[in-house]
Amino acid sequence: MLKYKRVLLKLSGEALQGNNQHGIDSKVLNEYALQIKDVVDLGVEVGVVIGGGNIFRGLTGVDKGFDRIKGDYMGMLATVINSLALQSALESIGVLSTVLTAIKMDPITTSYSKLKSEHLMENKNVVIFGAGTGNPFFTTDTAAALRALEIGADLFLKGTKVDGVYTADPMKDATATKFNKITFDEVYVKGLNVMDMTSFTMCKENNLPIVVFDMTKKGNLMKIVQGEQIGTLVCN
């Protein structure tokens, strides 16, 4: 029944805040945890990367006078807070999970390694990758693409509040239409905003397909891993 055995799920920090102006909405967090539990129970190996925009975003900090490098490190810390929150939500419903960070943070988290990640996932342990790549100037999208490639994921899942890739921003343009499937090259030519260029190019060059979908709709994650057409598939 499974089309994808190992996936990397990228979640936006902003989505975690729900209808709040900032912080973490526990209802959204718990709903995400339940969706992840469902696919883990089915036998899917899951890695997760969460953004930190609901707490602090490095580029936004620059606009407010923060040094770019310090701002990016602050953003990395925000991703760790979100990662620990998701770990707690998963453990509360009986799902084994581990937070691995690109920056050493003993005793709060465990340092990242590819071997460790694969061993944990093979034993039904959800691995949550925190602190981005550990370097400034790289987004969590890039961190997610990097981890997906390192762990040999079959699919990059970009869970958002929008149900796919559109010709324009559907929130601003009522005439925008959704793509069910589109190639990496078409995204380049059309100038569509799927994810940052570094992460997008990494996926294209390594033939890693991306599905952009609405994570807020219960059951979508399960449908995708079972092969159902949900959201937009981006591939070569």
Side-chain angles (χ1 to χ4, degrees):
M1 291 178 66
L2 290 178
K3 183 173 182 178
Y4 303 102
K5 175 64 176 176
R6 178 176 291 178
V7 300
L8 190 291
L9 175 62
K10 168 61 173 42
L11 299 172
S12 72
E14 287 89 342
L16 280 183
Q17 68 191 32
N19 294 321
N20 302 326
Q21 295 299 311
H22 56 81
I24 299 171
D25 184 322
S26 59
K27 181 181 178 182
V28 173
L29 182 68
N30 291 329
E31 286 174 351
Y32 282 2
L34 286 168
Q35 286 203 63
I36 293 170
K37 180 182 188 302
D38 287 342
V39 299
V40 170
D41 288 345
L42 202 63
V44 181
E45 297 172 359
V46 181
V48 183
V49 171
I50 314 177
N54 56 319
I55 299 171
F56 188 88
R57 182 184 290 278
L59 282 175
T60 303
V62 171
D63 295 337
K64 296 179 180 178
F66 284 89
D67 171 79
R68 172 63 192 269
I69 294 175
K70 288 186 175 65
D72 280 353
Y73 279 118
M74 291 169 70
M76 290 178 214
L77 293 174
T79 71
V80 176
I81 292 172
N82 285 337
S83 297
L84 292 170
L86 180 61
Q87 180 189 33
S88 180
L90 287 167
E91 290 179 340
S92 72
I93 54 175
V95 180
L96 295 172
S97 58
T98 303
V99 177
L100 301 182
T101 50
I103 300 172
K104 188 174 181 180
M105 292 189 180
D106 297 340
I108 301 170
T109 65
T110 302
S111 296
Y112 167 78
S113 81
K114 169 182 164 59
L115 186 64
K116 198 178 300 177
S117 304
E118 292 182 323
H119 175 74
L120 288 165
M121 284 187 290
E122 287 166 0
N123 287 279
K124 295 188 68 175
N125 199 311
V126 174
V127 179
I128 307 166
F129 302 103
T133 65
N135 301 287
F137 299 102
F138 291 94
T139 68
T140 49
D141 276 349
T142 297
L146 176 63
R147 297 296 181 240
L149 293 169
E150 287 179 319
I151 65 174
D154 303 314
L155 184 67
F156 184 117
L157 289 162
K158 187 172 172 65
T160 70
K161 295 188 286 186
V162 181
D163 64 343
V165 179
Y166 282 75
T167 53
D169 187 340
M171 301 294 185
K172 299 176 181 178
D173 186 348
T175 65
T177 56
K178 191 181 89 171
F179 297 97
N180 289 325
K181 183 178 180 180
I182 190 169
T183 67
F184 287 106
D185 289 338
E186 286 176 311
V187 170
Y188 279 128
V189 171
K190 297 178 186 294
L192 303 176
N193 185 25
V194 176
M195 48 209 279
D196 78 77
M197 197 58 68
T198 302
S199 56
F200 191 77
T201 302
M202 288 172 67
C203 292
K204 171 180 164 54
E205 291 182 346
N206 292 279
N207 200 30
L208 177 63
I210 304 166
V211 170
V212 181
F213 73 106
D214 182 359
M215 183 67 182
T216 66
K217 188 172 182 180
K218 187 176 180 181
N220 270 357
L221 185 60
M222 174 69 80
K223 291 175 182 177
I224 292 170
V225 299
Q226 291 180 319
E228 190 171 331
Q229 172 61 57
I230 298 291
T232 300
L233 173 65
V234 185
C235 58
N236 282 318

